[in-house]
Amino acid sequence: MSSNRDLMYIKPEVQNVMHRLITAKVDEIIPIIDLNASEIRYPILDVIGLNSMDAQILESMTQVGILEKSLYDKLLVCPTHPDTLAVTLRLYCPKCKSFDVFRMNLVEHKLCGFIATKEVFENNKLVCPSCNALIKDQKDVSFPGMWYECKACKGKFDAPTIMLRCRNHSHDFTMSDAKKIDVHSYKLNKEAEKEFYDNYILVTPLRKLLEPFGFKVEAAVSVNGKSGVNHKVTLYAHTSDTKIVIDAKTAEAEVPDQFLIAMFAKVIDISPKLAFFVAMPNVSENTKTLAKNYGIVVIEGKTLQEIMNSIVENLKSKLNLQINDQCKITVE
Ligand SMILES: [Zn+2]
Ligand SMILES: [Zn+2]
Ligand SMILES: [Zn+2]
């Protein structure tokens, strides 16, 4: 596992983003581009209590390979006021600079060869003024010519001058002067998703659950034992007088008992009030018997919700925590 990624995973705000992405099965973090408000927002950040307009956390997660970003949009904005996104096109008459220009189309009725402007056909309710046949669809006509006309100077021209208009500050700028802003979407890297799921997925719901009782909850942390040796555990929740140690393992089928045995060595040295061995999906009967002898509570479950429910029940009965049912964390 990459250590750069681990440095990110231990940050609570990163844990919140990851937890949301994984449990809500968000495929891609898509921005909302609000031109009127001049905002590029990532609503997922709102959901977890961060500023949805500050994508810095997503960028940091991208730098260490947790997220993969792709170009979602490219905005052309005013070079003088790049913070305002409201930009529209304006077409100008190249002769008198009026923007009161309109496009003229020539239309030919294929059946009889009659040619007139589009307006002539439209004003005649789509009946050809020459042969009186009804024009049913586009296939009946061709467009042999197109140009622009200026209402102000009556000039005719092939190409108007195209300018971009800064709506909020009412001025024009050219396409080549426009500032380009790249807007990105983000996807969770599959490997990072597995790393996080295996090692950190319980930290967000447990923190919500235990912080109100004065616990500090840390993930992937080293805990100092009586012997002076540091032990890496999946989760460590502690107050001044209560320690809870959790090791979690995920496997395709039964989680092998070697992980429980490794945990036992840590538990003896740390001597927490409560030790949970979380196994997804389950362990063998033999592992359960071992755990009982070791004083370790085995938590099995196929889903996060099952595991959290079981942890809540154990915290209630073994630590006498007054967790009411509203405190149960819905993780899926
Ligand atoms: Zn401007
Ligand atoms: Zn003109
Ligand atoms: Zn005709």
Side-chain angles (χ1 to χ4, degrees):
M1 197 191 294
S2 135
S3 62
N4 279 344
R5 295 221 277 247
D6 273 330
L7 289 175
M8 290 298 287
Y9 293 143
I10 58 174
K11 295 183 180 178
E13 68 268 26
V14 172
Q15 290 165 357
N16 288 340
V17 173
M18 295 294 282
H19 193 263
R20 178 78 194 165
L21 284 174
I22 292 172
T23 58
K25 297 187 166 56
V26 177
D27 277 338
E28 192 168 16
I29 304 174
I30 302 278
I32 290 178
I33 301 169
D34 185 336
L35 297 181
N36 290 324
S38 290
E39 289 174 357
I40 299 167
R41 293 193 303 267
Y42 292 91
I44 188 173
L45 298 179
D46 249 346
V47 174
I48 58 166
L50 296 175
N51 176 1
S52 63
M53 291 196 286
D54 183 1
Q56 187 49 52
I57 184 171
L58 304 178
E59 284 297 313
S60 306
M61 289 168 76
T62 303
Q63 273 161 23
V64 295
I66 297 174
L67 297 177
E68 293 160 359
K69 74 174 175 183
S70 14
L71 190 61
Y72 180 77
D73 209 339
K74 225 175 170 64
L75 305 179
L76 294 176
V77 299
C78 171
T80 322
H81 311 101
D83 291 338
T84 69
L85 304 179
V87 168
T88 49
L89 275 184
R90 256 198 191 181
L91 307 180
Y92 286 93
C93 168
K95 292 168 187 155
C96 77
K97 309 295 177 207
S98 163
F99 63 85
D100 198 0
V101 299
F102 56 97
R103 198 171 70 177
M104 294 293 288
N105 279 97
L106 278 185
V107 177
E108 176 181 8
H109 188 211
K110 284 182 187 167
L111 195 66
C112 69
F114 176 75
I115 294 179
T117 62
K118 200 172 155 201
E119 285 67 32
V120 170
F121 284 92
E122 280 172 357
N123 292 341
N124 207 35
K125 296 194 167 68
L126 297 181
V127 171
C128 172
S130 171
C131 70
N132 290 321
L134 180 69
I135 292 158
K136 291 187 285 292
D137 58 37
Q138 293 261 355
K139 281 181 236 151
D140 293 346
V141 295
S142 64
F143 301 93
M146 189 270 281
W147 69 93
Y148 289 84
E149 283 187 25
C150 171
K151 273 216 175 102
C153 73
K154 312 288 181 224
K156 294 179 184 179
F157 41 93
D158 287 337
T161 305
I162 299 173
M163 296 293 280
L164 293 168
R165 185 155 189 85
C166 172
R167 302 306 316 180
N168 292 12
H169 299 273
S170 304
H171 69 97
D172 292 335
F173 54 95
T174 65
M175 200 79 89
S176 54
D177 283 342
K179 192 169 177 243
K180 281 105 190 153
I181 295 184
D182 288 350
V183 183
H184 295 102
S185 60
Y186 301 84
K187 269 190 172 156
L188 186 54
N189 172 281
K190 286 290 158 206
E191 199 183 311
E193 177 174 354
K194 184 168 171 16
E195 280 171 3
F196 188 85
Y197 196 90
D198 289 350
N199 299 287
Y200 301 88
I201 197 69
L202 290 171
V203 67
T204 302
L206 272 177
R207 187 175 286 133
K208 273 194 209 159
L209 192 68
L210 288 172
E211 268 184 354
F213 296 97
F215 280 89
K216 187 168 162 46
V217 181
E218 296 167 281
V221 68
S222 286
V223 182
N224 199 257
K226 284 175 292 191
S227 68
V229 173
N230 281 325
H231 304 280
K232 183 97 178 269
V233 298
T234 308
L235 282 159
Y236 181 49
H238 53 106
T239 63
S240 54
D241 58 1
T242 307
K243 294 181 207 167
I244 304 171
V245 165
I246 299 178
D247 257 356
K249 288 290 164 202
T250 309
E252 291 292 317
E254 275 177 3
V255 176
D257 65 3
Q258 76 208 56
F259 294 112
L260 180 78
I261 294 163
M263 186 184 181
F264 181 51
K266 306 178 202 176
V267 168
I268 287 183
D269 201 24
I270 301 168
S271 66
K273 187 143 190 182
L274 209 49
F276 290 127
F277 182 65
V278 174
M280 267 180 108
N282 53 34
V283 292
S284 69
E285 285 308 315
N286 183 46
T287 307
K288 277 183 207 166
T289 311
L290 269 179
K292 208 164 199 168
N293 293 334
Y294 292 166
I296 295 173
V297 179
V298 172
I299 306 277
E300 296 172 303
K302 284 190 218 48
T303 65
L304 285 175
Q305 187 63 69
E306 279 177 37
I307 283 170
M308 281 309 296
N309 290 348
S310 175
I311 288 177
V312 166
E313 287 315 312
N314 276 284
L315 289 171
K316 277 178 167 175
S317 62
K318 298 200 164 57
L319 287 185
N320 207 18
L321 290 186
Q322 301 301 307
I323 302 168
N324 56 36
D325 283 342
Q326 289 97 295
C327 282
K328 281 191 185 173
I329 309 292
T330 304
V331 287
E332 277 164 340

